[in-house]
Amino acid sequence: MTNMIVIAELSKGSIHASTAELVTAAHAFGGEPTLVVPCTDASIADSVKSLSGISKIIAVKSDVFDGNDSSGWASALDSALPSGTILCLATTRSKDVAARLAARRNISVVQDVIRIDGTNLTSPIYSGKANQTVSVSGEAVVTVRANVFDSAGNGGNCDVSVVDASGDVKTAVQEIMQRASTRLDVSEANIVISGGRGMGSPANFVHLEAVADTIGAAVGASRAAVDTWAEIPHSMQVGQTGKTVNPNLYIAVGISGAIQHLAGMRSSKYIVAINKDADAAIFQHADYGIVATWEEALPVFQEALSAMLG
Amino acid sequence: MPTIVVLVKQVPDTNAKIMVQGDRVDLSSVKMVMSPYDEFAIETAIRHKEATDGTVTALTIGGPGSEKILKDAKAIGVDNIVRVWDDSWSDLDSNALQSILSETIQGLGATVVYCGKSAADTGAGSTGPGLAERLGWGNASNVIGAEFTDSVTVSMPVESGVAKINVALPAVISCDKGDFKVRKPNVKGIMMAKKAKVELMSATAPSSSINISSHSMPPAKPAGKTFEGGASASQVAQLLRDEANVL
Ligand SMILES: Cc1cc2nc3c(=O)[nH]c(=O)nc-3n(C[C@H](O)[C@H](O)[C@H](O)COP(=O)(O)OP(=O)(O)OC[C@H]3O[C@@H](n4cnc5c(N)ncnc54)[C@H](O)[C@@H]3O)c2cc1C
């Protein structure tokens, strides 16, 4: 058995809650992990000191973690990490960093893992139409999908040791065009409500936003909606050529359920579909299907949710 | 003048039904195509050439069956097509695959490599960043637009919006679906592609430490509950809270 190392996931400068899921994943693989926190300010590691099931915490401090350059991330982490099997969250940035870390160490990377049984790792392939199980011998770098493993509990009390590191940055940010809306990104949200061509016009997305605001959801879209309406940006697209999401709840409104859309959301824990066509393919994947127009269903849904949560 | 290489991979058509026979996926009757993001990589590579001159070489690792996508790339407008293979290879893991690629890319003297952000079969997305690391190059992933000078300035989504990032060459750039149309083969291109010769290369591959043990179908979801009419939405809201526990 190799050493287990978990790299904490960062989101907007603090540690993402899914980091606790990675600790559970490390135990499934076979050992108590060292938790590594990439940071510019080591005090963020305080938020994970009480996690149970970790043997120690190393805060790796470097300016590179302020940016997105995966070369910088990988070189800084590599210099501070012991050898072993490394686990991180399967997000866009961490998947890049994982691939680089593996290449740096001449070991292999297994991405998007959804099940761990000792050294057997299962990931979806063909956009979730099948699963692939691989066996790992020796060290590897593994990325794990969010919302798959239970979170490790609290009750531990780990010291944090701080290591300064420098990284080899190879790209330079020139400018960032801020997202116009302050809405949650679909790939970060626990609940996603998406609209398709059946919404009729981009203006009608306000009805989805109203529900989203009530339940803390991000708003997504099908490709038909993105391609048809300039107002709906590609960053909202869920599916094969958009984002893959894995939320606790996915609500599809006016979306037919094409295979390429399913590719991006079929692993959601619960799926709700609102569609006027009882034969729409999306209903075969829905835990709760509502056969109705959104014009009829959304106001009722919105009112019920507000009453429950308001 | 840049020597531009674009990596392409053959995958099952994304519309195809995937079946598992025994404990392996059976692709024998599935139509194979170029992975969709690779089309954006080819388009970006050709635009790079048009902006700065140079040559574009499309490269795949695969058996003879994968020559079709190289011909497709040629028909779209790349200059050279290369297939890398050794009959002893099967189920290459990421370490083996990237070793082969980095050896080949160095042999070709590439200054910039384009690829899709992930291949539609594994969806892993490891090749671009992993290859860049082996070569000691920079990389950018999920690129949705690019401008070309001595370096490449790419647009890519980041946490707070879309970033414009300057990537010094040599570099590996992984392409997402961009906000532009990809060119399709024309008749002349298709004729030329028919006659084009695929260059065969080989490389050394370390043995794999990741081995595929089985494929399986995802467990079928238990049948859901279906309700008729908009009024049922309040019942669904309640179930989401009380039965599914997701609110
Ligand atoms: C290579 C490739 C990649 C692709 N990538 C993606 C991708 O990333 N994401 C993606 O989503 N698609 C993708 N697609 C497209 C996909 O095949 C479908 O065309 C698309 O998902 C359809 O979007 P839709 O469900 O919104 O539209 P439609 O299929 O037109 O469905 C609209 C639905 O709305 C319902 N409806 C209409 N009016 C109402 C109403 N008033 N109330 C309630 N329901 C109503 C209809 O019954 C219908 O089911 C891709 C296709 C290809 C070939």
Side-chain angles (χ1 to χ4, degrees), chain A residues 109-197:
Chain A
V109 56
V110 183
Q111 306 271 21
D112 295 300
V113 166
I114 55 166
R115 196 164 65 229
I116 298 181
D117 180 7
T119 52
N120 290 312
L121 309 177
T122 302
S123 310
I125 54 170
Y126 307 118
S127 310
K129 289 187 239 177
N131 287 334
Q132 171 165 286
T133 301
V134 298
S135 66
V136 179
S137 54
E139 293 171 1
V141 183
V142 176
T143 67
V144 175
R145 289 248 178 114
N147 282 334
V148 175
F149 290 88
D150 294 334
S151 298
N154 283 303
N157 183 16
C158 237
D159 283 338
V160 179
S161 57
V162 182
V163 180
D164 283 297
S166 60
D168 181 14
V169 172
K170 295 193 184 288
T171 60
V173 176
Q174 289 188 333
E175 57 175 316
I176 294 185
M177 280 83 72
Q178 299 288 337
R179 235 199 318 268
S181 77
T182 51
R183 296 205 152 272
L184 271 172
D185 189 83
V186 288
S187 50
E188 290 161 21
N190 275 325
I191 306 180
V192 175
I193 179 166
S194 292
R197 196 188 336 251

Side-chain angles (χ1 to χ4, degrees), chain A residues 92 96 104 126 172 240 288, chain B residues 37 121 133 141-142 166 243:
Chain A
T92 308
D96 256 35
R104 237 182 136 76
Y126 307 118
Q240 173 102 50
Y288 304 106
Chain B
Y37 296 118
D121 50 0
E133 183 66 41
S141 295
N142 305 302
N166 188 266
E243 188 177 75

